[in-house]
Short mmCIF file of all heavy atoms in Angstrom, two decimals:
data_model
loop_
_atom_site.label_atom_id
_atom_site.label_comp_id
_atom_site.label_asym_id
_atom_site.label_seq_id
_atom_site.Cartn_x
_atom_site.Cartn_y
_atom_site.Cartn_z
N GLN A 1266 -11.26 -14.53 2.70
CA GLN A 1266 -12.50 -14.25 3.43
C GLN A 1266 -12.19 -14.18 4.92
O GLN A 1266 -11.53 -15.08 5.45
CB GLN A 1266 -13.52 -15.37 3.17
CG GLN A 1266 -13.95 -15.50 1.73
CD GLN A 1266 -15.21 -14.73 1.42
OE1 GLN A 1266 -15.63 -13.90 2.23
NE2 GLN A 1266 -15.80 -15.00 0.28
N SER B 790 -19.74 -13.23 1.30
CA SER B 790 -19.75 -12.41 0.09
C SER B 790 -18.59 -11.44 0.16
O SER B 790 -18.12 -11.08 1.24
CB SER B 790 -21.06 -11.65 -0.06
OG SER B 790 -21.21 -10.75 1.02
N GLN B 791 -18.09 -11.00 -1.02
CA GLN B 791 -16.93 -10.15 -1.06
C GLN B 791 -17.39 -8.72 -1.31
O GLN B 791 -18.28 -8.44 -2.10
CB GLN B 791 -15.98 -10.62 -2.15
CG GLN B 791 -15.66 -12.10 -2.01
CD GLN B 791 -14.26 -12.47 -2.40
OE1 GLN B 791 -14.06 -13.18 -3.36
NE2 GLN B 791 -13.27 -12.02 -1.68
N GLN B 792 -16.70 -7.80 -0.66
CA GLN B 792 -17.05 -6.39 -0.76
C GLN B 792 -16.60 -5.81 -2.09
O GLN B 792 -17.32 -5.05 -2.71
CB GLN B 792 -16.38 -5.65 0.41
CG GLN B 792 -16.08 -4.20 0.20
CD GLN B 792 -17.24 -3.30 0.51
OE1 GLN B 792 -18.34 -3.49 0.02
NE2 GLN B 792 -17.00 -2.31 1.34
N GLY B 793 -15.41 -6.19 -2.52
CA GLY B 793 -14.83 -5.55 -3.69
C GLY B 793 -14.80 -6.46 -4.89
O GLY B 793 -14.87 -7.68 -4.79
N GLU B 794 -14.69 -5.81 -6.04
CA GLU B 794 -14.51 -6.54 -7.28
C GLU B 794 -13.39 -5.87 -8.06
O GLU B 794 -13.41 -4.65 -8.25
CB GLU B 794 -15.78 -6.51 -8.13
CG GLU B 794 -16.91 -7.35 -7.59
CD GLU B 794 -18.08 -7.39 -8.54
OE1 GLU B 794 -17.95 -6.96 -9.70
OE2 GLU B 794 -19.15 -7.86 -8.12
N CYS B 812 -10.83 -1.37 -8.90
CA CYS B 812 -11.53 -2.04 -7.80
C CYS B 812 -12.79 -1.26 -7.51
O CYS B 812 -12.77 -0.02 -7.40
CB CYS B 812 -10.62 -2.06 -6.57
SG CYS B 812 -11.42 -2.51 -5.03
N SER B 813 -13.90 -1.96 -7.40
CA SER B 813 -15.15 -1.31 -6.98
C SER B 813 -15.63 -1.97 -5.70
O SER B 813 -15.37 -3.15 -5.47
CB SER B 813 -16.21 -1.43 -8.08
OG SER B 813 -16.48 -2.79 -8.34
N TYR B 814 -16.28 -1.20 -4.86
CA TYR B 814 -16.77 -1.74 -3.59
C TYR B 814 -18.18 -1.23 -3.34
O TYR B 814 -18.69 -0.39 -4.08
CB TYR B 814 -15.82 -1.37 -2.45
CG TYR B 814 -15.59 0.12 -2.26
CD1 TYR B 814 -16.37 0.87 -1.40
CD2 TYR B 814 -14.57 0.76 -2.96
CE1 TYR B 814 -16.16 2.22 -1.23
CE2 TYR B 814 -14.35 2.12 -2.81
CZ TYR B 814 -15.14 2.85 -1.94
OH TYR B 814 -14.92 4.20 -1.79
N LYS B 815 -18.82 -1.75 -2.29
CA LYS B 815 -20.26 -1.53 -2.14
C LYS B 815 -20.66 -0.60 -1.00
O LYS B 815 -21.65 0.10 -1.10
CB LYS B 815 -20.96 -2.88 -1.96
CG LYS B 815 -20.77 -3.83 -3.13
CD LYS B 815 -21.31 -5.21 -2.82
CE LYS B 815 -21.00 -6.18 -3.96
NZ LYS B 815 -21.35 -7.58 -3.62
N THR B 816 -19.91 -0.66 0.11
CA THR B 816 -20.35 0.11 1.28
C THR B 816 -19.29 1.14 1.69
O THR B 816 -18.16 1.12 1.19
CB THR B 816 -20.64 -0.82 2.46
OG1 THR B 816 -19.45 -1.55 2.78
CG2 THR B 816 -21.74 -1.82 2.11
N SER B 817 -19.65 2.00 2.62
CA SER B 817 -18.73 3.04 3.08
C SER B 817 -17.49 2.43 3.73
O SER B 817 -17.57 1.37 4.35
CB SER B 817 -19.44 3.95 4.08
OG SER B 817 -20.50 4.61 3.48
N ILE B 818 -16.37 3.10 3.58
CA ILE B 818 -15.11 2.56 4.07
C ILE B 818 -14.35 3.57 4.90
O ILE B 818 -14.59 4.78 4.81
CB ILE B 818 -14.22 2.09 2.89
CG1 ILE B 818 -13.85 3.28 2.01
CG2 ILE B 818 -14.90 0.99 2.09
CD1 ILE B 818 -12.80 2.97 0.94
N LYS B 859 -17.36 4.86 -5.43
CA LYS B 859 -16.96 3.65 -4.72
C LYS B 859 -15.99 2.83 -5.59
O LYS B 859 -16.22 1.64 -5.85
CB LYS B 859 -18.17 2.82 -4.30
CG LYS B 859 -19.02 3.49 -3.21
CD LYS B 859 -20.12 2.55 -2.73
CE LYS B 859 -20.80 3.10 -1.47
NZ LYS B 859 -21.41 4.40 -1.66
N CYS B 878 -7.55 -5.69 -3.90
CA CYS B 878 -7.93 -4.53 -3.11
C CYS B 878 -8.70 -5.03 -1.90
O CYS B 878 -9.36 -6.07 -1.94
CB CYS B 878 -8.76 -3.54 -3.91
SG CYS B 878 -10.43 -4.07 -4.32
N ALA B 879 -8.58 -4.31 -0.81
CA ALA B 879 -9.26 -4.68 0.43
C ALA B 879 -9.75 -3.41 1.09
O ALA B 879 -9.01 -2.43 1.22
CB ALA B 879 -8.31 -5.43 1.36
N THR B 880 -11.00 -3.43 1.50
CA THR B 880 -11.56 -2.28 2.19
C THR B 880 -11.75 -2.62 3.67
O THR B 880 -11.91 -3.78 4.05
CB THR B 880 -12.92 -1.88 1.59
OG1 THR B 880 -13.80 -3.01 1.67
CG2 THR B 880 -12.77 -1.44 0.15
N ASP B 881 -11.69 -1.58 4.50
CA ASP B 881 -12.02 -1.78 5.90
C ASP B 881 -12.91 -0.63 6.35
O ASP B 881 -12.81 0.50 5.87
CB ASP B 881 -10.77 -1.89 6.78
CG ASP B 881 -9.97 -0.62 6.89
OD1 ASP B 881 -10.38 0.26 7.68
OD2 ASP B 881 -8.96 -0.48 6.18
N ALA B 882 -13.80 -0.97 7.28
CA ALA B 882 -14.72 0.02 7.82
C ALA B 882 -14.43 0.16 9.32
O ALA B 882 -13.33 -0.09 9.76
CB ALA B 882 -16.16 -0.41 7.55
N LEU B 887 -10.83 -6.78 7.00
CA LEU B 887 -10.59 -6.53 5.59
C LEU B 887 -11.56 -7.33 4.74
O LEU B 887 -11.75 -8.53 4.96
CB LEU B 887 -9.16 -6.92 5.23
CG LEU B 887 -8.05 -6.12 5.89
CD1 LEU B 887 -6.68 -6.63 5.42
CD2 LEU B 887 -8.19 -4.63 5.61
N SER B 888 -12.16 -6.66 3.76
CA SER B 888 -13.02 -7.32 2.78
C SER B 888 -12.34 -7.25 1.43
O SER B 888 -12.08 -6.14 0.93
CB SER B 888 -14.39 -6.63 2.71
OG SER B 888 -15.08 -6.76 3.94
N PHE B 889 -12.02 -8.41 0.88
CA PHE B 889 -11.22 -8.49 -0.34
C PHE B 889 -12.10 -8.75 -1.57
O PHE B 889 -13.15 -9.36 -1.48
CB PHE B 889 -10.23 -9.65 -0.25
CG PHE B 889 -9.09 -9.42 0.68
CD1 PHE B 889 -9.19 -9.71 2.03
CD2 PHE B 889 -7.88 -8.93 0.19
CE1 PHE B 889 -8.12 -9.50 2.89
CE2 PHE B 889 -6.80 -8.72 1.03
CZ PHE B 889 -6.92 -9.00 2.39
N GLY B 890 -11.58 -8.32 -2.72
CA GLY B 890 -12.14 -8.74 -3.98
C GLY B 890 -11.48 -10.04 -4.42
O GLY B 890 -10.68 -10.62 -3.69
#
Side-chain angles (χ1 to χ4, degrees):
Chain A
Q1266 297 266 13
Chain B
S790 63
Q791 308 215 245
Q792 154 85 308
E794 289 186 11
C812 167
S813 60
Y814 58 92
K815 299 172 185 172
T816 59
S817 297
I818 63 171
K859 292 186 169 60
C878 70
T880 58
D881 68 79
L887 296 180
S888 295
F889 287 87

